[in-house]
Amino acid sequence: MQIWLAAFAAALIVVIGYAGGPPGALVALLSFLIALFLLWARDLGFKGAWERFGLQTFSPPLWKPENLERFKALFVDEQKLVKATTISVALIAAAMLLPRNLVIFIFAATLALGVFEVYRNSKSVTAQPGTRIN
């Protein structure tokens, strides 16, 4: 079921993104990947999400079987997939309704908020200096 949900999410992002113009598809796909990365990083931290994506061992071309196996692990959590798709589609919808400069500002503010949220969550998990280790 995850493969079908991932295929539907990718198709939705490309179709809705293309409705915003040919660059819209690229922007929608890029915002989907950024949102998915930040959603994973919220739970695992930046380093954990980087390793979950397998970017440290990524080797071109994209369609190699070992790369595809790494990407399958990203689509295991259906809630994160749906949230990232919603963020991407909402960004394209906002780009169709609002001026481009305002949409870029909203995207940058949302991205900064997401990064801050990841740092805040990872800071509470790490041990503070001077505390005892169990």
Side-chain angles (χ1 to χ4, degrees), residues 11-29 88-98 100 103:
L12 180 67
I13 288 168
V14 170
V15 168
I16 298 296
Y18 201 78
L26 184 61
V27 169
L29 198 58
S88 178
V89 171
L91 178 70
I92 293 300
M96 287 188 211
L97 294 172
L98 302 172
R100 183 171 293 170
V103 173

Side-chain angles (χ1 to χ4, degrees), residues 13 28 31-32 34-36 38-39 80-93 107 110:
I13 288 168
S31 66
F32 170 74
I34 290 171
L36 189 61
L38 285 176
L39 287 170
K80 286 182 179 58
L81 187 65
V82 170
K83 286 178 184 178
T85 304
T86 304
I87 291 168
S88 178
V89 171
L91 178 70
I92 293 300
F107 177 71
T110 306

Side-chain angles (χ1 to χ4, degrees), residues 127-128 130-134:
Q128 299 296 327
T131 59
R132 299 186 70 196
I133 298 174
N134 294 333

Side-chain angles (χ1 to χ4, degrees), residues 41-47 115-128:
R42 187 176 182 193
D43 294 339
L44 304 173
F46 284 118
K47 186 176 180 184
V115 169
F116 175 73
E117 182 75 20
V118 170
Y119 275 123
R120 189 176 70 158
N121 284 345
S122 65
K123 193 177 208 181
S124 64
V125 173
T126 60
Q128 299 296 327

